[in-house]
Amino acid sequence: MNRINTTLQQNNKLLSIYFTAGYPKINDTVSIIQELEKNGVDMIEIGLPFSDPLADGPTIQESSTIAIENGMATSLLFEQLANIRESVNIPLIIMGYFNPMMQFGMEKFCQKCQEVGIDGLIIPDLPLHVYETEYKTLFEKYGCLNISKMLHYLTQI
């Protein structure tokens, strides 16, 4: 069972924190994740910086800009997370725009998520019908929960 499902079943009150990978400094990503878990965070959303985060507020826009200026990229994020499961046990989710994931290659992206232990993805600009018709099988193949899909269905109940 996915760590997200297990965590949701075990806790009725969760603390989930978002932060932008590569911010404030390029090599802070792993230490931030480790410190968040050590301090009681139940789940972490790792923001994949994007050059044009129009749907985000000014704080995330600024952190994304700085992270990109620092040199953060999708491939670097996966390099940084390569051994994260040796020290972190809580669910990890990558949250980001669809375009950088597509540029990386969706199958390669999902495969890397599985390799480093990412439990789910939040992709706000991936329409649900596109996910279901084009990417659902791929996500399932690599064990990546589509959190946007889960939230969509929860709001319909």
Side-chain angles (χ1 to χ4, degrees):
M1 179 181 291
N2 187 291
R3 280 180 284 266
I4 295 170
N5 293 335
T6 302
T7 300
L8 291 173
Q9 289 178 353
Q10 293 173 349
N11 301 302
N12 60 358
K13 293 183 180 180
L14 297 174
L15 177 58
S16 180
I17 299 291
Y18 170 92
F19 80 98
T20 302
Y23 176 86
K25 296 188 173 146
I26 190 71
N27 293 318
D28 286 345
T29 304
V30 170
S31 62
I32 288 172
I33 293 169
Q34 291 167 334
E35 286 298 315
L36 288 171
E37 181 180 47
K38 186 171 29 170
N39 287 285
V41 170
D42 299 297
M43 198 175 307
I44 299 173
E45 299 171 24
I46 304 165
L48 180 61
F50 183 51
S51 60
D52 198 18
L54 293 177
D56 293 318
T59 301
I60 294 175
Q61 288 176 355
E62 182 178 350
S63 67
S64 288
T65 299
I66 292 170
I68 290 169
E69 288 172 357
N70 288 343
M72 181 50 70
T74 305
S75 57
L76 179 57
L77 175 60
F78 286 126
E79 287 175 29
Q80 291 179 345
L81 297 177
N83 299 312
I84 195 69
R85 288 301 174 191
E86 294 174 7
S87 60
V88 172
N89 297 309
I90 62 174
L92 299 176
I93 300 163
I94 291 182
M95 181 173 182
Y97 290 88
F98 193 46
N99 191 17
M101 296 174 194
M102 282 182 21
Q103 288 177 352
F104 191 79
M106 280 311 294
E107 181 145 13
K108 182 179 173 187
F109 187 88
C110 291
Q111 182 178 14
K112 286 293 198 182
C113 286
Q114 182 183 52
E115 286 175 12
V116 302
I118 296 298
D119 301 290
L121 302 172
I122 299 175
I123 312 170
D125 60 336
L126 174 60
L128 186 57
H129 72 279
V130 173
Y131 163 75
E132 289 178 340
T133 59
E134 297 181 33
Y135 298 102
K136 181 179 179 184
T137 304
L138 184 64
F139 279 41
E140 290 174 351
K141 175 181 176 181
Y142 292 103
C144 291
L145 292 182
N146 180 355
I147 307 303
S148 302
K149 177 186 173 223
M150 289 174 61
L151 293 175
H152 173 77
Y153 287 121
L154 289 173
T155 60
Q156 303 304 309
I157 297 175

